[in-house]
Amino acid sequence: MGIQTPVRMAALLLAVCAYASASADSSSSPAQWAQWVQRQVSQLPASRAIQAEQERLLAQSRALSQPLYNPSLNIDYEDSLDITQTVGLSQTLDWSGKARARRDAVAVRDQLAQLRGDKARARLLADSLNALVAHAAAREQLAAAREQEQQLRDLTDLIRRREQAGDVGQVDAQLAYLSLGQAQQALADAESAATRAATTLRQQLASQQPAVALPAADRWQAPSLTHGVVQRLPTSFDLQLAEQQLALAERGVSVADKQRNTDPTLGLRVGQEGGENLWGVDFSLPLKFFNTGKPGYEAALADSEERRALLEKTRNDIQARLDGALSDYQQRRERWETWQQLTGDSLARSDTLLKRVWQQGELTTQNYLQALNQRLDTRLAGIALRDAMQQAWVQWLYESAQLNDWLNQLANE
């Protein structure tokens, strides 16, 4: 085998170093994939649990919107010198408007219940998409490790035959055997990672294998969904929740203020006494000598101020998260696209080229094995770059509350 200069070796490796991942060439329809994801997630027990929790919160709101006071039925019988029998009906009157203030708070509670449900569904969808992305990457990494192991196995068999024929020295043979041994560890790690990814997918999506392959990497973007961070800020689930929690705290101040007022009770009774008809009117009003309700009102005010401060902090935090998520996605997308531009599609043909150059004596066995390892590293780097880019895209869409928008775009194509 000829001895290669460093310049010659570098040029050869650059010429063969490329790979286009299998999922990027998938012929599956993005619309079919998006529809399958939406259908699969909607059928999950976790989705039903989210819906049940939302209905529970709405039911609690309906309970709070009921009338504050129920009428009371009073029956009185007295047997003394004259027998007295009366039947009465009394009703506490909500003169201070407590029920109206509670209904205003209930409207905010309903919006909070809806927002919490929407956020939980978005989190479930994001986790499901991340599981799909990780599963696809793990399967490709496993395929690459198996291919590398098979190539080294074939190379070892060839070198063994050539060693017996005296065409290859013992050093070259030992290098091939050592490389094959190292490949076993890499293959075991890839198999373990693929098993973990499959387990996560089953836990997250109740599916052992995706029914439809991931869309091509160039579909994990949408210009309409990657601009206007400031415009996306009001749509953030966390910001909307903070705003509604402040609104609920302000309604709570109104309710607490109304609670400080006492409501009178008015009653009407009719009956007989000693054979004569009688009727009467009862009126009662609690006197606020001891419990004035002021501590509850002050607590409500403090809660409102706390929620106002938390809203300001939440807005700053979410602005930072949105900027960070979008920047992370754009950077990872740029790295992925640079990898594609540098590698092109030559890596798919590099195996045959490297083997031919080695057999022709233009590449030593040591350099050939090194080139195979660098080819594998480049292939795995591409898979990792695409995986990170896709997960960063999912995170940006989750933070900006656009996951459903993106899936609907794909599903409607």
Side-chain angles (χ1 to χ4, degrees), residues 173-322:
Q174 288 300 318
L175 288 174
Y177 300 150
L178 291 174
S179 295
L180 180 58
Q182 290 178 338
Q184 303 306 310
Q185 178 62 48
L187 180 57
D189 291 341
E191 289 172 339
S192 179
T195 299
R196 291 195 301 271
T199 300
T200 301
L201 184 65
R202 290 181 61 186
Q203 292 174 333
Q204 197 63 49
L205 266 178
S207 175
Q208 294 185 351
Q209 183 73 24
V212 186
L214 290 179
D218 60 359
R219 306 310 302 273
W220 294 72
Q221 60 179 336
S224 62
L225 303 181
T226 53
H227 293 88
V229 171
V230 175
Q231 287 77 11
R232 297 309 308 175
L233 180 62
T235 66
S236 166
F237 291 120
D238 287 338
L239 183 60
Q240 290 186 73
L241 284 170
E243 290 173 340
Q244 293 303 316
Q245 286 168 343
L246 172 59
L248 182 60
E250 291 174 341
R251 300 297 189 279
V253 172
S254 178
V255 171
D257 184 42
K258 302 294 184 182
Q259 293 288 354
R260 299 171 66 188
N261 301 320
T262 58
D263 294 325
T265 300
L266 181 65
L268 177 66
R269 53 190 173 83
V270 295
Q272 288 187 338
E273 181 178 5
E276 298 291 335
N277 294 331
L278 64 86
W279 66 273
V281 176
D282 295 323
F283 179 84
S284 63
L285 180 67
L287 300 178
K288 300 186 64 175
F289 287 156
F290 305 110
N291 184 5
T292 63
K294 184 177 180 181
Y297 177 68
E298 292 175 340
L301 283 174
D303 182 53
S304 177
E305 288 302 316
E306 179 187 13
R307 291 296 178 183
R308 186 170 288 103
L310 287 176
L311 174 59
E312 183 178 352
K313 179 181 183 301
T314 300
R315 182 178 287 107
N316 293 334
D317 291 347
I318 294 173
Q319 178 71 61
R321 291 210 309 263
L322 284 172

Side-chain angles (χ1 to χ4, degrees), residues 15-310:
V16 300
C17 183
Y19 177 74
S21 61
S23 67
D25 296 330
S26 172
S27 60
S28 300
S29 165
Q32 292 176 342
W33 176 80
Q35 292 166 5
W36 175 79
V37 170
Q38 291 174 325
R39 183 170 58 254
Q40 193 73 14
V41 171
S42 67
Q43 295 172 353
L44 291 174
S47 293
R48 298 199 300 271
I50 292 171
Q51 182 63 32
E53 172 65 10
Q54 184 174 333
E55 291 175 356
R56 183 185 70 83
L57 293 175
L58 291 174
Q60 288 181 341
S61 293
R62 290 195 300 272
L64 293 174
S65 66
Q66 299 299 307
L68 195 60
Y69 303 115
N70 286 316
S72 298
L73 177 65
N74 306 307
I75 300 176
D76 183 47
Y77 176 84
E78 182 180 347
D79 188 357
S80 58
L81 183 61
D82 293 321
I83 296 177
T84 303
Q85 305 173 75
T86 59
V87 175
L89 191 66
S90 62
Q91 172 70 56
T92 301
L93 306 178
D94 184 17
W95 281 8
S96 59
K98 297 185 180 70
R100 183 171 60 254
R102 284 160 58 105
R103 285 194 296 270
D104 291 341
V106 163
V108 179
R109 288 180 181 274
D110 289 345
Q111 295 180 18
L112 275 170
Q114 182 65 46
L115 281 171
R116 290 190 176 107
D118 291 344
K119 180 183 177 181
R121 292 185 189 92
R123 183 69 266 169
L124 178 62
L125 181 56
D127 291 342
S128 299
L129 290 174
N130 285 331
L132 286 168
V133 169
H135 181 265
R139 295 294 297 177
E140 289 187 44
Q141 290 167 346
L142 176 59
R146 283 175 173 169
E147 181 180 326
Q148 177 82 346
E149 194 267 350
Q150 186 60 51
Q151 287 174 336
L152 291 174
R153 190 177 295 277
D154 294 341
L155 177 64
T156 301
D157 293 340
L158 177 60
I159 287 181
R160 183 180 294 111
R161 292 194 299 269
R162 295 183 63 177
E163 182 184 19
Q164 293 173 353
D167 294 338
V168 176
Q170 290 185 353
V171 174
D172 288 344
Q174 288 300 318
L175 288 174
Y177 300 150
L178 291 174
S179 295
L180 180 58
Q182 290 178 338
Q184 303 306 310
Q185 178 62 48
L187 180 57
D189 291 341
E191 289 172 339
S192 179
T195 299
R196 291 195 301 271
T199 300
T200 301
L201 184 65
R202 290 181 61 186
Q203 292 174 333
Q204 197 63 49
L205 266 178
S207 175
Q208 294 185 351
Q209 183 73 24
V212 186
L214 290 179
D218 60 359
R219 306 310 302 273
W220 294 72
Q221 60 179 336
S224 62
L225 303 181
T226 53
H227 293 88
V229 171
V230 175
Q231 287 77 11
R232 297 309 308 175
L233 180 62
T235 66
S236 166
F237 291 120
D238 287 338
L239 183 60
Q240 290 186 73
L241 284 170
E243 290 173 340
Q244 293 303 316
Q245 286 168 343
L246 172 59
L248 182 60
E250 291 174 341
R251 300 297 189 279
V253 172
S254 178
V255 171
D257 184 42
K258 302 294 184 182
Q259 293 288 354
R260 299 171 66 188
N261 301 320
T262 58
D263 294 325
T265 300
L266 181 65
L268 177 66
R269 53 190 173 83
V270 295
Q272 288 187 338
E273 181 178 5
E276 298 291 335
N277 294 331
L278 64 86
W279 66 273
V281 176
D282 295 323
F283 179 84
S284 63
L285 180 67
L287 300 178
K288 300 186 64 175
F289 287 156
F290 305 110
N291 184 5
T292 63
K294 184 177 180 181
Y297 177 68
E298 292 175 340
L301 283 174
D303 182 53
S304 177
E305 288 302 316
E306 179 187 13
R307 291 296 178 183
R308 186 170 288 103
L310 287 176

